[in-house]
Each structure stands twice: as C-alpha cells, then as structure tokens.
C-alpha cells in the first residue's frame, strides 16, 4: 500500500474518489504522523477525532455518490483561525484556553468542502514574526537540516511556521496560513513547499484573530501549485461579515491551470537586487528567468522605485494597526485575566497585558502606540500611509510593461533557531521581498525552486495584478514544471 | 522634545525612558523599570530605522485608505440579519469570560 502521507491533496482527493483507499485510512495515516512528530512542535493542539469524524463522513458520502471538493483530505489549521469548541490561541498566553463559540468563515468553508482537521498549528505570536520563535508554546522546528552534518535546529520561517513544518514533514498534505507581510510565502520558501497570499479581500477575515487588518490575508500552503489552487478555491469567496471582502465569484483556478506563458511579460524589478544578496539566490533568480523564457514568456526589466521604503512603511503601519487590534485583550471578556491583590480595573488591564503578551508583541504594540500618538501621527503614520500609496502606484506603473513579476521570496535560506532573535531589525529584514506586495494588496506566491549549498530549500516569488491569482498560479506552475524540485527533508524526528 | 506634526522630514526623535513609560501607559502594559531601560535602545533602533521614510516626497499623494478599491456595504437594517452575528446568545458570549456573574462580565471596581 502506498504511504498515503506522501500523497498531495489532489492525489488524496482523486485516489479517494477512485476508490483506491478510504478516507479513514488517510486520516489514520496522518494522525499517526502527527502523533509521532511532537518534537517538531508544529501543533499546539492535536484533533485526531475531528479528522476521523470528517473521514467517516467522507466515506459515507462516497458510498452515497455524494463527494465534496475536499472529501477525504485532512489538513492542518493555523491557530489564528477561530475553530468552534477547539482552543484558539494565536500562539499567545493571553488566549491560552480561549475556546471560540463560533467558526471562522475560512475554516467553515473548508469543513463544508469535506476536509478534516488534524490539529491547530503553532505560529509566531499574533502572527508577529518570521521564524516561529515568538510563540508562547515554544519554537517550531523545521524538518530540514543543513547538509554539514551538524544538528542545528532550523527555523521553519514565520509566522505560519507550524503550517510549513507540518506539510514538509508529511504531518498533513496542506494547511491554512495567513500572510500579513510574508507569513505564508517566506515559511513556504524555507521548507520547500508552495504557498499563496491571494488578493486582499479574496478570503474572509471573519474569525481570523486580527493582527493588521489592512494587510492580513488567509491563504493555503501545500506541496505544489495545483494543491494551492484546490485549497484556495475552497477557502475564498465573498463574506458579508467582512467589510473588506470582495463581492466576486471564485474563479475555477484549478481547471484553468496552465504552465504555458506565451504572450505573458514577466517583469524583473531591479530594486529587488539588494546589497549583500547571496550569490546562490541571485543565481536561482537567473534560473527562474530562464524557466520563464522557456515557458514562452517575454522578460522585461522594470523599476519599483519606492521598494526600499516598503519595509519601514510596513513596520509603522502593521504595528499601528496591531496596537489597535490588540487593545481588546484586556482580561475583561475572554482570555487571560491577571488580577493582582487590591487591583482596580486599570491595574488589571496593565497586569494582564504584561503577563499575557510576549516580548515581540509588546515591542510592536509600543511602536504602534508611539507612531499613532499625538504629535507623531502625521510624521509617522500618515507619512507611511502616503508612502504606501506610492508603492502601490509603482506596481500600477509596472503593470503597463509586464503582467507578472518574478523575484526571490526570501533573502536567505532557513537560518538556525536563535541565530537572529537578538536583533529584531535583522529579523524584520527577512520580509524585504514579500512586504511590498502585501502593502499593495496584490496576489503573490512562493514556489520551491532549488537548494542552497547546504541543501536547504530556496523559493521564487511571483507577484500579480490585483485579482490575477490565475496568472500567479500559472507562472508558479511553469516554474514548478521546470525546477524539478523533489528534495525532501530526511526524517530525523 | 518638540514634535513636528505634518512635516515630511522632521529631526530624529529619539525615545527616552520617560517616553517609553508614557507609551506603555497608553498601551496599558505594565512595564518594570528594568524592562523600560531595555526597551529604550530597542525602540530607538527600530524608530531610527523607520525615520528614513521622512526622505520620501509625499506632497503629491493621499494616504492609502483602501487597499483594493471597494465600496463599503451596509447590511439590511434588520435585527439579527445574520444568525452568525445576531443576538440572544448571551451564554456563548460569556462562555470565555474570566468572571461571569449573573449574566454580566464581572470586573474589579474602578478606583477613582
């Protein structure tokens, strides 16, 4: 019998429909992998019963001739999505024990499509981080190791580090992630899988614990482009409960997948060639350009002049929005309450938040509070919002000359846990290639493209026009077809 | 320390411990003296880095208020228009409350 946990989402879906195996067998196989991989710390909560129940329902549906789009497919759910009756923490102590009384729109859609839940995936606290080192529930460890023979534990990237690690280690075939400044794309690149952040507004944010509301977007992470298309179709769609939700039909992204890029112009933004860019990443980018040509595309050099201001603008806007969104965690209605003896209401707020938030979360709340405070609002926040307009206009001008952009996803391969955690700024620089498209709300995806000198995955990023997920997925497929990326993390856990 | 509201390129505003204490108070996060001292260089490092935004000439643009152009919908002006966001669910609303009492959120008294 095939090891079912080596199958992709499409492989499981189609094999299940063809009667090759039961959904129960698939759920049991992944549940076993999850239970045997605790050392990776990818899951905060395991929910094998949920996966089994969904599998049993799928097997029943199949016998009645009634299969749904994801019947038979168990997935991981990032712990940022409210799941009814199942703890949802956002990786934070301040929400430890919080049990939502409702289901997020995105997770509800996935369950309605027939998927099952293997567990809630670990993540950087409140989605703030690029290495999954800020979770209250401990670091997530990447299943990858450097080929130098050392056993240094590597970061899976962040904030969707648990999602990335779990997929790469075959604990689940796919997972949800969220991406605010790169939190789907960068971890996908670090562990050699695919991940897409759709156009802002494609996936509902209702029931997603908010970090930065003008940037947060849910998206799928999976082994390949087809799986991402399948998952995104199930996750996306108009939701009246999210005022920023796009009132547009969900395109049939999977059916229209094609790696034929004839007639497409791929833009190479010169400002993404940063100082001290590792030669390997530059070389991979060149390979990507060659693959695009091979797929029939025309290559065009373009300029996005305000690129270098994207990261500082992001680190004003996102913390500002976070300081507002995280004001609700005050110990009154849900979550942790810390009530020192004799404390009044204000002391309760201050003590609860001090005890409940981790250091990176506090840092960002303080930055956000500062840039929004009286006297500084215009110099910082308004200025950043104006720079954001300029960054968006840069993309608009680029679209006059090209249809899609090709860039590296991250400025390095995965680093070791602890290697960058001393300097918050060094950590922020991980997002240099992903943040601009987040600020502009554009769809962007990372696909695995090669390995570095130490055998670690490297990814390439495709950015598209608003609403052109199809263009992005297709270019991703063209890379996937030519990159021949079959490397897997060797099992040490 | 003067603030230059509205100017696109103000002088570098460094934070001192008094400022950190004030921000922490605004953010309602209790911060010990040691933590305040540790925060000063950290925040200065980050704020010093974001200062470069002051270089950009933004006189010709408006702040971005909508990421993807969209209209703000109004839902039907009906009570309980959507069961998922409607009323009559008090017990579920209180289900995660640290100190629910008689159908209310219990909180310590506000000391004036």
């Amino acid at each position: 019998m095939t090891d079912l946990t080596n199958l992709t989402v499409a492989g499981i879906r189609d094999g299940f429909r063809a009667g090759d195996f039961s959904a129960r067998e698939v759920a049991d196989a992944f549940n076993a992998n999850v239970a045997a991989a605790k050392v990776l710390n990818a899951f905060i909560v395991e929910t094998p019963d949920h996966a089994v129940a969904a599998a049993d329902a799928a097997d029943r549906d199949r016998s009645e001739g009634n299969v749904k789009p994801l019947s038979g497919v168990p997935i991981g759910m990032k712990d940022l999505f409210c799941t009814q009756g199942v703890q949802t923490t956002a990786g934070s102590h301040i929400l430890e024990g919080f049990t939502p009384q409702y289901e997020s729109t995105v997770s509800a859609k996935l369950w309605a499509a027939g998927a099952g839940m293997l567990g809630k995936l670990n993540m950087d606290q409140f989605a703030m981080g690029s290495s999954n080192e800020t979770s209250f529930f401990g670091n997530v460890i990447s299943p990858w190791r450097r080929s130098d023979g050392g056993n240094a534990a590597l970061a899976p990237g962040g904030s969707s580090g648990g999602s990335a690690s779990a997929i790469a280690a075959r604990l689940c075939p796919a997972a949800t992630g969220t991406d605010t400044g790169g939190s789907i794309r960068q971890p996908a690149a670090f562990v050699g899988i695919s991940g897409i952040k759709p156009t802002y507004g494609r996936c509902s944010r209702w029931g997603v614990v908010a970090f930065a509301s003008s940037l947060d977007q849910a998206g799928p992470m999976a082994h390949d482009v087809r799986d991402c298309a399948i998952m995104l179709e199930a996750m996306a769609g108009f939701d009246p409960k999210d005022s920023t939700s796009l009132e547009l039909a969900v395109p049939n992204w999977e059916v229209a997948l094609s790696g034929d890029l004839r007639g497409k112009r791929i833009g190479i933004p010169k400002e993404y060639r940063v100082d001290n860019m590792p030669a390997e990443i530059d070389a991979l980018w060149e390979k990507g350009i060659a693959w695009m040509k091979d797929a029939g595309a025309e290559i065009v050099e373009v300029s996005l002049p305000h690129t270098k201001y994207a990261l500082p603008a992001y680190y004003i806007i996102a913390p500002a929005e976070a300081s507002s969104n995280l004001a609700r965690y005050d110990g009154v209605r849900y979550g942790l309450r810390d009530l020192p003896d004799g404390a009044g209401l204000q002391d309760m707020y201050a003590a609860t938040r001090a005890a409940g938030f981790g250091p990176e979360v506090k840092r960002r709340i303080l930055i956000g509070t500062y840039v929004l405070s009286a006297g500084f609002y215009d110099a910082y926040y308004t200025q950043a919002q104006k720079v954001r307009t300029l960054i968006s206009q840069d993309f608009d001008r680029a679209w006059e000359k090209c249809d899609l952009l090709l860039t590296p996803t991250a400025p390095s391969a995965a680093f070791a846990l602890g290697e960058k955690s001393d300097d918050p700024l060094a950590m922020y620089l991980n997002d240099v290639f992903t943040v601009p498209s987040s600020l502009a709300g554009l769809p962007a995806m990372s696909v695995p493209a090669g390995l570095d000198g130490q055998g670690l995955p490297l990814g390439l990023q495709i950015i598209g026009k608003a609403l052109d997920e199809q263009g992005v997925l297709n270019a991703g497929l063209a890379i996937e077809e030519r990159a021949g990326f079959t490397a897997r993390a060797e099992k040490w856990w | 320390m003067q603030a230059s509201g509205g100017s696109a390129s103000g002088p570098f505003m460094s934070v001192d411990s008094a400022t950190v204490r004030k921000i922490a108070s605004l953010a309602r996060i209790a911060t010990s003296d040691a933590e305040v001292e540790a925060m000063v260089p950290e925040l200065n490092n980050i704020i010093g880095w974001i200062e470069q935004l002051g270089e950009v000439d933004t006189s010709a643009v408006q702040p971005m208020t909508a990421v993807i152009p969209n209209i703000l919908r109004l839902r039907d002006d009906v009570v309980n228009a959507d069961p998922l966001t409607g009323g009559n669910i008090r017990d579920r609303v209180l289900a995660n409350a640290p100190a629910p009492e008689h159908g209310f959120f219990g909180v310590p008294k506000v000391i004036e």
Side-chain angles (χ1 to χ4, degrees):
Chain A
M1 145 94 88
T2 331
D3 182 352
L4 297 172
T5 63
N6 283 331
L7 294 173
T8 59
V9 168
I12 295 168
R13 177 194 64 181
D14 298 342
F16 167 70
R17 286 177 182 182
D20 297 348
F21 41 77
S22 70
R24 183 59 186 266
E25 286 169 307
V26 177
D28 287 347
F30 280 106
N31 276 335
N33 277 12
V34 169
K38 291 189 203 291
V39 66
L40 297 178
N41 203 30
F43 285 88
I44 294 178
V45 160
E46 295 168 18
T47 57
D49 295 343
H50 190 292
V52 164
D56 289 347
D59 286 330
R60 268 195 310 278
D61 285 344
R62 181 176 64 173
S63 67
E64 290 161 11
N66 238 351
V67 291
K68 301 184 176 105
L70 288 174
S71 288
V73 181
I75 62 171
M77 180 63 56
K78 183 174 184 178
D79 207 20
L80 203 58
F81 293 85
C82 282
T83 41
Q84 186 160 359
V86 178
Q87 178 185 255
T88 298
T89 67
S92 183
H93 180 42
I94 214 165
L95 281 175
E96 191 173 14
F98 173 67
T99 307
Q101 300 297 301
Y102 66 101
E103 190 79 31
S104 78
T105 296
V106 163
S107 55
K109 289 164 81 74
L110 286 163
W111 312 146
M117 179 163 68
L118 293 158
K120 300 303 292 294
L121 290 161
N122 202 352
M123 52 178 286
D124 274 312
Q125 192 167 159
F126 283 106
M128 301 178 184
S130 309
S131 61
N132 219 137
E133 291 177 282
T134 66
S135 171
F136 176 74
F137 300 94
N139 297 336
V140 172
I141 303 181
S142 171
W144 289 86
R145 284 203 161 146
R146 291 176 176 141
S147 59
D148 61 6
N151 286 343
L154 299 183
S159 64
S160 310
S163 309
S165 182
I167 295 165
R170 269 73 183 168
L171 312 186
C172 58
T176 56
T178 61
D179 191 308
T180 303
S183 291
I184 285 175
R185 294 163 282 164
Q186 183 252 29
F190 273 19
V191 305
I193 64 174
S194 303
I196 180 167
K197 177 197 80 69
T199 308
Y200 182 81
R202 273 290 189 201
C203 291
S204 171
R205 290 179 300 105
W206 195 78
V208 180
V209 175
F211 159 23
S213 306
S214 76
L215 294 156
D216 293 344
Q217 261 302 283
M221 298 170 75
H223 290 293
D224 63 19
V225 172
R226 176 169 304 273
D227 280 4
C228 285
I230 294 169
M231 284 282 289
L232 189 60
E233 278 183 48
M235 292 166 69
F238 175 57
D239 180 5
K241 302 184 299 304
D242 173 355
S243 65
T244 59
S245 179
L246 296 171
E247 201 162 351
L248 297 167
V250 177
N252 296 326
W253 289 307
E254 186 197 356
V255 152
L257 277 176
S258 163
D260 180 354
L261 302 183
R262 280 173 298 176
K264 292 290 183 188
R265 300 160 301 167
I266 306 292
I268 310 299
K270 63 181 199 201
E271 291 82 3
Y272 281 55
R273 194 159 268 115
V274 298
D275 291 338
N276 304 320
M277 179 127 113
E280 292 177 306
I281 294 197
D282 205 21
L284 187 71
W285 197 3
E286 289 301 323
K287 270 203 197 149
I289 291 169
W291 292 331
M292 298 280 89
K293 281 191 198 156
D294 186 68
E298 185 196 323
I299 308 296
V300 182
E301 188 173 90
V302 298
S303 173
L304 300 169
H306 297 92
T307 298
K308 70 179 258 223
Y309 298 111
L311 260 183
Y314 174 84
Y315 278 101
I316 289 178
I317 295 167
E321 295 185 5
S323 73
S324 177
N325 279 325
L326 272 64
R328 70 193 66 182
Y329 303 105
D330 56 11
V332 173
R333 292 163 297 156
Y334 44 75
L336 179 74
R337 172 182 291 195
D338 191 342
L339 191 59
D341 282 340
L345 193 61
Q346 296 293 335
D347 294 325
M348 181 185 84
Y349 295 155
T352 296
R353 292 160 64 78
F357 291 139
E360 182 60 31
V361 174
K362 285 179 185 168
R363 204 175 284 128
R364 295 200 195 190
I365 291 174
L366 292 181
I367 292 170
T369 306
Y370 179 66
V371 304
L372 289 174
S373 61
F376 296 101
Y377 190 103
D378 282 335
Y380 291 115
Y381 184 71
T382 305
Q383 178 72 353
Q385 286 285 68
K386 289 179 175 180
V387 170
R388 188 173 182 178
T389 299
L390 290 170
I391 288 168
S392 188
Q393 287 177 352
D394 280 358
F395 282 107
D396 289 339
R397 265 189 290 277
W399 301 139
E400 290 165 16
K401 301 172 69 179
C402 67
D403 307 297
L404 298 152
L405 295 162
L406 176 72
T407 82
T409 306
S412 74
F415 42 84
L417 291 170
E419 205 175 285
K420 295 205 180 177
S421 38
D422 283 343
D423 179 7
L425 259 188
M427 192 63 82
Y428 297 165
L429 293 172
N430 274 300
D431 297 335
V432 64
F433 300 132
T434 49
V435 152
S437 41
S438 298
L439 289 171
L442 302 175
M445 120 169 268
S446 182
V447 293
L451 296 173
D452 79 347
Q454 294 182 304
L456 298 178
L458 296 171
L460 285 173
Q461 174 180 234
I462 302 109
I463 303 169
K465 297 177 197 170
L467 306 179
D468 190 20
E469 285 83 2
Q470 193 71 64
V472 169
L473 289 162
N474 285 353
L477 184 63
I479 293 176
E480 181 184 290
E481 287 170 343
R482 287 159 184 77
F485 186 90
T486 51
R488 289 177 58 146
E490 222 179 277
K491 193 168 195 280
W492 54 264
W493 56 93
Chain B
M1 186 167 68
Q2 293 296 304
S4 54
S7 143
S9 53
F12 174 30
M13 309 290 179
S14 70
V15 293
D16 54 12
S17 25
T19 309
V20 174
R21 274 198 195 87
K22 177 176 170 224
I23 303 168
S25 163
L26 287 173
R28 298 294 188 268
I29 300 178
T31 317
S32 69
D33 290 344
E35 284 167 329
V36 169
E37 289 316 309
M39 279 283 181
V40 172
E42 270 184 15
L43 293 185
N44 274 322
N45 198 20
I46 296 168
I47 289 165
W49 172 66
I50 66 184
E51 285 287 334
Q52 63 183 291
L53 282 193
E55 290 165 19
V56 186
D57 177 6
T58 53
S59 49
V61 288
Q62 290 301 306
M64 178 183 272
T65 50
V67 185
I68 300 288
N70 206 351
I71 46 158
L72 189 62
R73 297 177 310 272
L74 294 176
R75 68 170 176 79
D76 293 339
D77 188 11
V78 168
V79 171
N80 293 342
D82 183 328
L84 287 174
T85 56
N88 297 320
I89 52 160
R90 190 185 66 191
D91 290 344
R92 286 166 59 199
V93 169
L94 290 173
N96 285 288
E101 273 181 62
H102 313 299
F104 293 83
F105 292 106
V107 292
K109 89 180 167 173
V110 177
I111 295 168
E112 295 297 329

